Amino acid sequence: MLETAASASSPRAAAAAAVVSSPRRGGAAAHHHRRWSPPSFRACLVALWLVGFGFVILWQGTSVGRVRLYTRPPMPKRAAASLGQWVASPPVYDLREFGAVGDGRTVNTAAFESAIAAIAERGGGRLTVPPGRWLTAPFNLTSHMTLFLAAGAEILGIQDERYWPLMSPLPSYGYGREHKGPRYGSLIHGQDLKDVTITGHNGTINGQGQSWWIKFRRKLLNHTRGPLVQLMRSSDIIISNITLRDSPFWTLHMYDCKNITISETTILAPIAGAPNTDGIDPDSCENVVIKNCYISVGDDGIAIKSGWDQYGIAYGRPSANIAIQNVVIRSMVSAGVSIGSEMSGGVTNVLVENVHVWDSRRGVRIKTAPGRGAYVTNVMYRNITLENVRVGIVIKTDYNEHPDEGFDPKAVPTIGNISYTSIHGHRVRVPVRIQGSAEIPVKNVTFHDMSIGIVDKKHHVFQCSFVQGQVIGYVFPMPCKNLDLYDERRELVKQSTLQNISDIDYSF
C-alpha cells in the first residue's frame, strides 16, 4: 500500500529531490548550505495515518467501558421479575387435557373445574373448548381468564336441576324472583372477578332450557330458575363471537358489574313457550356497551334493571352509562329494549341507537310502578326501526308486580329527559303509548324526525296521558295534544295546556 502510494507520487518526489541536491548560485559555498524544502507528500500521508490510527486505539481503550455501562446497565432483581412477568404468555389449556369427552353424554363438570383451577393457580390463562358437545353441570370462572369456544364447540347444561347449586337470593330482589328462599345458580357463573372474557369462533353455550320451561309452567320447581351466564360484582368483562341459546331463565345476566362489552353475540330462544328468557340484562351495572348483536328470545331482548322495590332502593346501585348500538331484536312476547320494571336503584344515561325491532309485541319500552322509587332519566333513542310491531314506543307507570307487601306505594319514580329521534317503521299498530299518571307524570319527552307506517287508520294511535314535552319538526302520525309543537328551527309553534289529559286506548 505505501509503496503504491509512493510510486504514484514519484514524479513530484523526484522533482523535490532534484531541487534539494542542486547547488545554489554563488559557487562552492553553496555545497555547504542546502536549500530547505517541505516534507514529501508521502511522508505527510504516512504521518497522518499513524496519528489517526493512534487516536482510534486510544479512544477504544478509554471508552469501551463507558459504552457497556450505558447500553447494558445491571437490572434490579425486582424490575427483572416484573419484566419477566409482563412478557410471559398466559397458559393455554385444552379442555381434553383434563379428561373431558365431547360426546354429549359424558358429564364434564370435573374437567371444567380442574382446568379453571389450573388457570387460577397460574394467575390467568385461556381455556379452549374444542369442537364437540360438552355436557356439564354449572361451574365457576376465575379472574384474568378467557373461555374460548372453537367453531363447532357446544357447552350443554345438564337438565337435571339436582346438579344445579342453590344460591342466596339477590340482595336487590328480596326473597327471590319466583320463589322465596334460595335460587338456582347459573350454568356459567362468576362473582367478584376482574378481567373475564368469553369468546370464540361462534361456539355455543346451550342451557337446554326446555325441561325447565315445562317444569316452571307445571309449577314443579321450588326455587327461582337460574340464568345461563351470570357474573356478579365483577369488572372488565368481554363477551363476543359466541351463541347463547335456550336458557332456563334470563340468558345473560350482569349483576352489579362495571366496564362490560358485549358484541357480535347471537342469543336465541323460542319466541313462544320459553318464559322469562330475556336476552341481555344489565342489572345495577355501569359502563356497558352492547353492539352488533342478534337477539330472538321469549321475553325482552334487552332489559336494563336495578333492583325491585324496597330491596332495590336499599341496595342503591343504579344502571348508568349504557350504550346499545347496531342490534337486531325479535320479541313476540315482550319488547325489543326495555328499562325496568325492576329499576329501584335508578337508570340514567342510556343510548339506544341503530336498533331494528321486528315481529315483536313492543319496540322500546320503559315500565315502572308506585313502590319502585328512584328514577329513569337521560335516555336517548336514536335511529330506531320498527317492523311489524304491535306497539312501537311505550312508557308504562302501573306495572304492578311487587316482591311482597312490604313495598312503599308512596315511593314513586321520576321519569324525564327522554328523547326519540329518527324513529321509522311500517306495519305498526300503535306507534306511541306514553301512560303517565297523576302520581308519576312523564316530563320533558322529545320527538324529532319520526315517520311510522300504521296498520289501523281509524283509531288515534299516538296516545298520551300525563305527559309534558315537545315535538320538533315533522312527526307522523299526528302527535297527541299533550305536547308542545316546534318547527325545525326549534321555534315554538304551539304550546300545549293539556299535559294531563289522557287518550290511552287498549281496545285494539
Side-chain angles (χ1 to χ4, degrees):
M1 291 289 290
L2 292 177
E3 289 179 358
T4 304
S7 175
S9 60
S10 59
R12 181 177 296 180
V19 171
V20 170
S21 62
S22 62
R24 296 177 62 187
R25 293 178 183 179
H31 181 73
H32 301 284
H33 300 278
R34 295 183 181 275
R35 183 180 179 182
W36 180 89
S37 64
S40 70
F41 178 79
R42 182 177 66 178
C44 291
L45 184 64
V46 170
L48 289 172
W49 187 87
L50 290 173
V51 171
F53 183 75
F55 273 115
V56 169
I57 296 298
L58 180 64
W59 177 80
Q60 285 184 336
T62 59
S63 65
V64 165
R66 288 199 303 270
V67 171
R68 288 179 179 172
L69 177 64
Y70 289 109
T71 56
R72 297 184 61 187
M75 184 177 292
K77 291 183 180 180
R78 291 176 66 182
S82 177
L83 179 62
Q85 198 172 42
W86 179 75
V87 299
S89 298
V92 177
Y93 297 107
D94 187 303
L95 185 63
R96 293 170 294 191
E97 297 176 36
F98 300 88
V101 179
D103 59 5
R105 299 184 302 274
T106 303
V107 179
N108 296 292
T109 314
F112 277 104
E113 292 174 342
S114 297
I116 294 168
I119 290 172
E121 186 177 354
R122 294 286 298 274
R126 186 176 102 166
L127 174 59
T128 297
V129 182
R133 304 180 76 239
W134 309 92
L135 184 65
T136 182
F139 59 86
N140 295 322
L141 303 177
T142 189
S143 291
H144 310 297
M145 172 184 176
T146 296
L147 178 64
F148 187 93
L149 282 74
E154 186 174 22
I155 297 175
L156 300 172
I158 197 165
Q159 293 181 294
D160 188 341
E161 68 269 18
R162 292 175 297 178
Y163 285 86
W164 290 61
L166 294 175
M167 303 180 65
S168 300
L170 293 170
S172 59
Y173 285 81
Y175 67 82
R177 191 63 182 80
E178 295 176 335
H179 294 276
K180 292 182 178 181
R183 61 191 173 95
Y184 289 109
S186 58
L187 178 63
I188 298 178
H189 186 80
Q191 58 189 49
D192 304 308
L193 304 182
K194 186 173 183 180
D195 181 23
V196 175
T197 298
I198 303 175
T199 188
H201 292 153
N202 202 31
T204 299
I205 301 173
N206 186 343
Q208 300 198 105
Q210 293 82 358
S211 64
W212 293 90
W213 308 330
I214 292 171
K215 291 175 182 177
F216 172 75
R217 287 195 297 268
R218 295 178 179 175
K219 299 183 179 181
L220 299 176
L221 298 172
N222 297 319
H223 306 283
T224 300
R225 292 166 290 157
L228 183 63
V229 178
Q230 182 179 62
L231 296 177
M232 301 173 55
R233 302 184 302 274
S234 300
S235 63
D236 303 327
I237 300 162
I238 297 174
I239 297 175
S240 65
N241 297 298
I242 58 171
T243 295
L244 307 174
R245 68 176 307 139
D246 295 344
S247 173
F249 191 53
W250 300 340
T251 303
L252 180 54
H253 186 213
M254 302 286 105
Y255 183 79
D256 197 1
C257 295
K258 295 181 179 180
N259 307 331
I260 305 165
T261 300
I262 302 167
S263 64
E264 283 77 34
T265 295
T266 299
I267 301 179
L268 304 173
I271 57 176
N276 308 110
T277 50
D278 296 6
I280 302 172
D281 287 1
D283 195 340
S284 294
C285 290
E286 295 183 14
N287 306 330
V288 180
V289 175
I290 301 170
K291 61 181 181 179
N292 305 328
C293 296
Y294 177 85
I295 302 171
S296 177
V297 289
D299 208 307
D300 292 324
I302 298 171
I304 301 171
K305 304 175 181 290
S306 64
W308 202 9
D309 284 1
Q310 70 271 28
Y311 303 106
I313 294 171
Y315 194 69
R317 302 284 201 284
S319 280
N321 308 327
I322 298 175
I324 300 168
Q325 299 170 306
N326 305 321
V327 179
V328 177
I329 304 175
R330 179 172 64 162
S331 173
M332 286 292 291
V333 173
S334 198
V337 179
S338 281
I339 296 175
S341 73
E342 306 96 327
M343 39 62 62
S344 298
V347 176
T348 188
N349 297 339
V350 176
L351 171 65
V352 181
E353 183 177 40
N354 301 332
V355 171
H356 182 182
V357 182
W358 66 288
D359 282 6
S360 296
R361 188 174 182 85
R362 303 169 189 89
V364 294
R365 175 175 63 172
I366 298 170
K367 51 183 178 176
T368 185
R372 296 289 194 267
Y375 51 85
V376 177
T377 60
N378 301 332
V379 181
M380 178 184 296
Y381 299 93
R382 187 166 62 203
N383 196 20
I384 307 299
T385 301
L386 306 170
E387 180 184 357
N388 194 25
V389 173
R390 183 182 180 93
V391 185
I393 293 169
V394 180
I395 298 179
K396 185 176 178 63
T397 59
D398 60 351
Y399 201 85
N400 287 309
E401 288 185 0
H402 302 282
D404 53 42
E405 297 300 321
F407 76 95
D408 180 5
K410 295 181 180 179
V412 295
T414 299
I415 302 177
N417 297 333
I418 316 294
S419 67
Y420 302 90
T421 304
S422 297
I423 312 297
H424 303 285
H426 61 283
R427 298 201 306 275
V428 177
R429 183 176 296 185
V430 179
V432 177
R433 180 178 285 151
I434 300 179
Q435 185 180 2
S437 65
E439 293 177 295
I440 311 174
V442 179
K443 298 181 179 181
N444 195 23
V445 176
T446 301
F447 292 90
H448 182 207
D449 181 24
M450 174 171 148
S451 178
I452 297 178
I454 58 179
V455 175
D456 188 342
K457 298 181 180 180
K458 296 179 181 180
H459 295 82
H460 182 57
V461 291
F462 199 122
Q463 302 178 7
C464 300
S465 173
F466 290 89
V467 178
Q468 176 270 322
Q470 50 274 328
V471 171
I472 300 173
Y474 177 77
V475 166
F476 182 85
M478 182 181 297
C480 60
K481 296 178 181 180
N482 307 61
L483 303 174
D484 299 335
L485 302 181
Y486 289 78
D487 62 22
E488 286 289 353
R489 294 173 296 182
R490 299 180 184 265
E491 295 180 354
L492 181 64
V493 175
K494 182 179 180 181
Q495 187 169 17
S496 175
T497 60
L498 303 172
Q499 287 90 353
N500 295 339
I501 66 170
S502 176
D503 58 4
I504 302 296
D505 185 358
Y506 286 99
S507 66
F508 65 101

